[in-house]
């Protein structure tokens, strides 16, 4: 029965030249890896700050919007071979996150190691989200996932960057589609990243 339900979807994919789609046992078509990376790119911004000829601060961030997180579920289903029950469980967690907060994945680099301490209690770095005329202060947490896993989810991240999660106390659902600016500022300098630019 599940294959009969998937037949119209498969025909559409074949007629549109998208035969490289993977289809789960439940008949759900997964986004391709290229489509996933395109989605991540759409919600990513980067900046570099210099002092003379030397870069003192580099960062890039990805807004974990509902579109990115939905695509990320497909990517993780492909990587970890999730069954439908696991997919639905993770989808529920995503919905809870989106209704409670707004999150960004941040790749951060500064050449002086002692200045790369965004997630520590003694850090002088601050992160702010400006949207809809309001400013929210963020919580910064260092991500401890493996480099290989991070690159599979954020292809522009590399071993020279430190991975952080920036979370802000505003529901992503309430600010979805609005222009946003994330500012990371500290002793070395400040960087501003823009999202949903008009």
């Amino acid at each position: 029965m599940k294959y009969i339900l998937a037949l119209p979807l498969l025909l559409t994919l074949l007629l549109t030249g998208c035969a490289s789609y993977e289809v789960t046992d439940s008949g759900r078509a997964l986004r391709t890896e290229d489509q996933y990376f395109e989605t991540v790119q759409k919600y990513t911004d980067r900046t570099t700050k210099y002092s003379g000829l030397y870069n003192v601060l580099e960062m890039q961030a990805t807004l974990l919007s509902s579109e990115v997180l939905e695509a990320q579920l497909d990517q993780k289903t492909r990587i970890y071979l999730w069954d439908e029950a696991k997919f639905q469980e993770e989808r529920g967690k995503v919905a809870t996150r989106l209704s409670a907060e707004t999150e960004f994945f941040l790749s951060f680099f500064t050449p002086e190691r002692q200045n790369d301490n965004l997630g520590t209690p003694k850090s002088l770095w601050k992160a702010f989200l400006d949207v809809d005329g309001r400013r929210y202060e963020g919580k910064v947490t260092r991500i401890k996932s493996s480099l290989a896993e991070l690159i599979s989810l954020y292809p522009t991240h590399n071993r020279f960057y430190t991975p952080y999660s920036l979370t802000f106390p505003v529901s992503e659902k309430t600010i979805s589609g609005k222009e946003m600016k994330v500012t990371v500022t500290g002793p070395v300098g400040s960087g501003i990243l823009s999202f949903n630019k008009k």
Side-chain angles (χ1 to χ4, degrees), residues 24-28 77 82-89 91:
T24 65
D25 287 342
S26 66
R28 187 171 48 79
T77 297
W82 287 349
D83 61 17
E84 193 63 21
K86 176 66 173 172
F87 174 86
Q88 293 300 338
E89 176 190 335
R91 191 179 214 179

Side-chain angles (χ1 to χ4, degrees), residues 4 8 10 35 94 118 131 157 164 167 173 181 187 198:
I4 294 170
L10 289 173
Q35 287 175 319
V94 163
L118 275 71
V131 60
H157 181 73
Y164 291 99
T167 54
K173 290 180 178 180
K181 286 190 179 175
K198 301 291 183 200

Side-chain angles (χ1 to χ4, degrees), residues 146-191:
S146 73
L147 179 61
E149 180 180 29
L150 290 171
I151 290 173
S152 74
L153 298 175
Y154 308 100
T156 56
H157 181 73
N158 63 53
R159 66 187 180 88
F160 299 107
Y161 289 89
T162 304
Y164 291 99
S165 167
L166 304 180
T167 54
F168 298 94
V170 57
S171 166
E172 192 276 340
K173 290 180 178 180
T174 64
I175 60 173
S176 178
K178 297 180 179 174
E179 287 190 63
M180 304 177 197
K181 286 190 179 175
V182 171
T183 303
V184 177
T185 185
V188 172
S190 297

Side-chain angles (χ1 to χ4, degrees), residues 51-184:
S51 176
L53 297 174
Y54 300 98
N55 62 338
V56 293
L57 175 67
E58 283 185 49
M59 58 183 178
Q60 53 193 14
T62 301
L63 168 61
L64 300 184
S65 66
S66 55
E67 186 179 351
V68 169
L69 290 174
E70 274 290 324
Q72 204 167 83
L73 288 172
D74 284 354
Q75 181 75 339
K76 288 181 176 180
T77 297
R78 182 182 303 101
I79 293 169
Y80 300 117
L81 303 177
W82 287 349
D83 61 17
E84 193 63 21
K86 176 66 173 172
F87 174 86
Q88 293 300 338
E89 176 190 335
E90 294 298 322
R91 191 179 214 179
K93 291 179 187 175
V94 163
T96 302
R97 280 168 62 191
L98 290 170
S99 63
E101 62 191 18
T102 299
E103 184 178 0
F104 295 81
F105 172 79
L106 176 72
S107 289
F108 183 85
F109 171 79
T110 185
E112 298 297 327
R113 204 75 178 140
Q114 69 269 20
N115 293 327
D116 186 359
N117 64 352
L118 275 71
T120 65
K122 294 182 180 179
S123 177
L124 298 175
W125 293 93
K126 298 283 184 189
F128 301 102
L129 171 65
D130 292 294
V131 60
D132 229 8
R134 296 193 60 188
R135 170 166 277 192
Y136 302 90
E137 186 169 348
K139 178 182 174 193
V140 183
T141 309
R142 187 168 179 166
I143 297 173
K144 297 196 168 132
S145 301
S146 73
L147 179 61
E149 180 180 29
L150 290 171
I151 290 173
S152 74
L153 298 175
Y154 308 100
T156 56
H157 181 73
N158 63 53
R159 66 187 180 88
F160 299 107
Y161 289 89
T162 304
Y164 291 99
S165 167
L166 304 180
T167 54
F168 298 94
V170 57
S171 166
E172 192 276 340
K173 290 180 178 180
T174 64
I175 60 173
S176 178
K178 297 180 179 174
E179 287 190 63
M180 304 177 197
K181 286 190 179 175
V182 171
T183 303
V184 177

